[in-house]
Amino acid sequence: MQLDQKIQILERALQREKAARKAAENILEEKSTELYNLSEELRKSKNSLEDLLNRKTSELEGVFENIIDAYVVMELSGDVIKMNQAAIDLLGYNVSLEPINLVKLVKREYLDYTFETFKELITHGKFNNYKAVIITKNGEEKTVQINASVIYDSNENPIAAQGIARDITEDMRLRKLMEEQKQQLDIIFKNSPIGVSLSKSLESGLIMVNQAMCDMLGYTKEEFMNVQVQDLTHPDDIEESKILRQKMFKGEIDRFNIEKRYITKNKEIVWAKTSVTGVKDSKGITDLMVATVEDITEQKEANTKLKESENRMATLIMNLETGILLEDETRHISLTNQKFCDMFNIPVPPEVLIGTDCSNAAEESKHHFQKPEQFVEGITQLLENKQTVLAEELHLKDGRILERSYIPIYSEGVYKGHLWSYDDVTIPKRYKESLRAQKEKYSNIIANMNLGLIEVDNNDKILMANHSFCDISGYSEEELKGKVASQLLLHEEQENIVLSKNSDRGKGLSDSYELKVRVKSGEIRNWLVSGAPNYDVNGNVIGSIGIHLDITDRKKLEEKQVELLKSLESQNEKLNDYAHVVSHDLKSPLRNISALLSWTREDFAHKLGPESVTNIDLMQNKVEKMDHLIESILKYSSIGSTTTIAENVDTHEVVEEILSMIFIPKNIKVVIKNKLPVIKADATGIQQLFQNLISNAVNYIDKTEGLVEIDVEEKNKEYIFSIKDNGCGIPKEYHEKIFKIFSSASTHQKSTGIGLSIVRKIIDLNNGKIWLESETGIGTTFYFSLNKTA
């Protein structure tokens, strides 16, 4: 579409928008007038009703003095026995001429209610302002308000009832009319798409708002009661709005219109067209203001955006990297930009060229081109034919290459000028030549790389395959092209995988996966495939590209590895069983030896010398140590050989139970400094861990007064436990060795060199750490960490 056409379309759209806005303003003004008239009618009806109520009240005050209202006396049975002239006039009946009963007077629908009320009258002695609907003698229906009381005899017994009835039929009619008018007004008020508010003074809040007003500004109706108009108005618009409101309350104006900004409850800005009409009281003084508020934020934003768009378009054209020249039908310049001036070395700003005659411009600028005469002839033909020509290539003498486009502009079929655009494509042209060379280079690389590469379309048809893919598939490139890759190569078990991956490519997803394929020789091979979607220049998925690596040999190695792991597990299980058998077979003779030594000592102690008894005791200790060593080896080999169950373990309870089981000499005191936590771990392993460390601490104390302190420190994800003793200490060179099996820093008779190895193994299985601080002769502190959760 020509630029001039676009501008005219925008102008017509703007005119239509202005007309629509004017029509909306007229409708809004009519609605405001209707609302004002309804308000006046409601106010007059209200005043009439108040005057009538005042007059009736005055009449009621004189009833008891003059009894000018209907006065009726009836027996407790409901028979009327006396009435005044006003009652005769009201009811049309005369008790002196015909009998009258309450049933005859009251409308049928009100009989039950009337009799219940009559019973209450007799019980309580009187009632006031009771309303009833009666039927007069001529069949007319009237609404009356009754004040009644019971007549008592000298003994205070009720003998009759008396009542004064006032005709309020007209009052009820007026009230019903007012209710109907109020309902109509409420319907308009509540359902209006335009915000409506009612305010009384400059200082007070809004006394009434409709839902549209609440929706627009975000306040509830209750909140509006405490919000003044100036609180809702943008600071820059407060003064003008305040002046207009003051003039209205002074009676200087009856109405005004203003476009201003409102501040919503959540501090957003809303542009609104506000029409305010004053409502005057009976004295002609404005005491209320009715305002209609129409949200025009979108309209304001649209106008602003249109203006911004025009500015952006002008700025865009002025700063385009394309040379622009817009000529009218007489070939005078309407618009040009700096790029055009720079292209043709024009030494003046573009705005200076506006209005310049370009009739002879071709002749004046032909010296820039390699073929000057052809350039002039081409412009002449374009102007004569008036047909669009795009990207016509022109070669300049300085080596530049320009693409020129000619676009004639028509408005309603009338020629209005034309647009010339010039693009310097020198660099892109050279870039394309370089790109062509690069493409040939990388095509050779792809063709000869060691990874198999194919390109397929959206139907999985092969478009290209390199040499490596031909090698791993066994097919030549000619045999592959045009074939459906999945049908040609896919193993029957892999159909669902490929369908899924093709779907992912259509969604733009890339990934890697393994496939079983059947190559040309019929052999089943395993490939690792890395696939990615292939896009055209418009970003549409036109297929996919896959890189393939034959991993058949690696898969065979992985299968062997699995077999080796299974074999290793089986061997470990057999070794574990063997350890239990050996442990049992070794411990049985040791127990026999221990028993024999004990019997020998008991039976022959008096015959043996002290040295022999000592030797027997030494042998007994060695047997016990051997038994303890076998037991420790069995525990060490069992750790991690079975599946452990993580559960909540109360370490405080575990430690207390250990302290109650192990032997602690009287000279040693064990203290738990803080409450130990509950952790998630294998209960048996934690029990072994604490028992070994606490037993070691007790066994290696060489002081007269021994002390073992157990403590914990909480970190973000773990607990740091510590077991401190004042024993003999461990030399620094043994700090790492002691955690290795059969390594010990002392020659203590109970030391097997396995206890701390068991501790290290349990902590490793729980992903913790263990370390120590020790000083020879002073004591040792073992620290270890355990996670809060398994």
Side-chain angles (χ1 to χ4, degrees), residues 574-585 634 637-638 641:
K574 291 177 181 178
L575 285 172
N576 192 39
D577 294 341
Y578 178 73
H580 282 79
V581 171
V582 169
S583 172
H584 179 270
D585 290 347
L634 181 61
S637 63
S638 298
S641 63

Side-chain angles (χ1 to χ4, degrees), residues 430-569:
R430 292 172 181 170
Y431 175 75
K432 285 182 180 178
E433 293 174 359
S434 174
L435 189 63
R436 190 180 300 110
Q438 292 291 329
K439 183 178 179 181
E440 292 177 1
K441 173 183 175 182
Y442 288 110
S443 295
N444 291 331
I445 293 173
I446 290 171
N448 295 285
M449 69 180 183
N450 290 328
L451 296 174
L453 182 143
I454 62 168
E455 179 185 349
V456 298
D457 62 14
N458 286 328
N459 296 318
D460 204 30
K461 286 187 178 180
I462 299 173
L463 304 176
M464 183 275 291
N466 69 350
H467 293 312
S468 294
F469 187 85
C470 294
D471 291 341
I472 63 176
S473 67
Y475 292 97
S476 67
E477 187 174 2
E478 290 72 20
E479 291 174 319
L480 292 171
K481 279 186 177 180
K483 300 294 191 304
V484 177
S486 56
Q487 294 178 359
L488 183 66
L489 298 165
L490 193 62
H491 190 275
E492 52 271 13
E493 297 176 1
Q494 309 291 293
E495 183 177 354
N496 292 334
I497 295 178
V498 172
L499 290 175
S500 173
K501 298 304 176 183
N502 288 341
S503 175
D504 289 344
R505 301 298 171 262
K507 298 173 183 176
L509 301 177
S510 305
D511 63 356
S512 298
Y513 55 98
E514 292 184 11
L515 271 183
K516 279 186 179 180
V517 297
R518 192 184 303 277
V519 297
K520 185 177 181 179
S521 64
E523 183 183 1
I524 303 300
R525 305 289 292 180
N526 292 292
W527 287 358
L528 177 64
V529 182
S530 178
N534 190 20
Y535 299 94
D536 62 13
V537 293
N538 297 318
N540 300 315
V541 177
I542 58 173
S544 61
I545 296 174
I547 297 175
H548 303 72
L549 175 66
D550 192 324
I551 59 170
T552 306
D553 294 338
R554 192 184 77 182
K555 292 290 287 185
K556 291 178 179 178
L557 289 174
E558 289 176 354
E559 291 172 359
K560 287 182 180 180
Q561 184 180 13
V562 171
E563 292 176 0
L564 288 173
L565 287 174
K566 289 181 179 179
S567 175
L568 182 60
E569 288 177 0

Side-chain angles (χ1 to χ4, degrees), residues 46-57:
K46 178 182 176 184
N47 291 339
S48 297
L49 181 57
E50 288 176 351
D51 291 340
L52 181 58
L53 289 174
N54 290 333
R55 177 167 53 83
K56 292 296 184 181
T57 302

Side-chain angles (χ1 to χ4, degrees), residues 229-344:
V229 175
Q230 54 264 36
D231 297 333
L232 301 171
T233 305
H234 191 279
D236 295 342
D237 299 334
I238 286 178
E239 190 62 29
E240 181 183 3
S241 175
K242 186 176 181 180
I243 291 171
L244 291 170
R245 287 166 58 81
Q246 287 173 341
K247 287 182 177 181
M248 178 167 286
F249 277 116
K250 290 177 181 179
E252 297 177 8
I253 56 175
D254 293 331
R255 65 173 58 190
F256 66 84
N257 297 319
I258 183 175
E259 286 187 4
K260 67 174 185 177
R261 287 160 290 182
Y262 288 87
I263 307 296
T264 67
K265 185 178 179 179
N266 59 3
K267 307 305 179 185
E268 294 180 356
I269 295 176
V270 175
W271 272 99
K273 181 179 179 181
T274 305
S275 298
V276 182
T277 303
V279 180
K280 297 181 179 180
D281 60 14
S282 58
K283 297 179 181 179
I285 298 174
T286 301
D287 64 344
L288 294 171
M289 286 195 301
V290 178
T292 58
V293 183
E294 180 185 4
D295 187 345
I296 59 170
T297 305
E298 292 185 0
Q299 179 181 329
K300 279 283 186 180
E301 290 177 352
N303 292 338
T304 301
K305 288 179 180 179
L306 181 60
K307 185 66 177 177
E308 291 174 352
S309 178
E310 292 174 352
N311 293 336
R312 282 198 300 270
M313 185 177 293
T315 303
L316 178 64
I317 291 174
M318 295 303 296
N319 295 280
L320 276 177
E321 288 301 309
T322 298
I324 298 295
L325 180 65
L326 180 63
E327 298 178 1
D328 62 19
E329 64 272 21
T330 63
R331 294 213 63 192
H332 286 78
I333 296 177
S334 298
L335 178 69
T336 188
N337 65 352
Q338 187 61 47
K339 188 66 177 179
F340 179 82
C341 297
D342 294 341
M343 278 183 174
F344 296 102

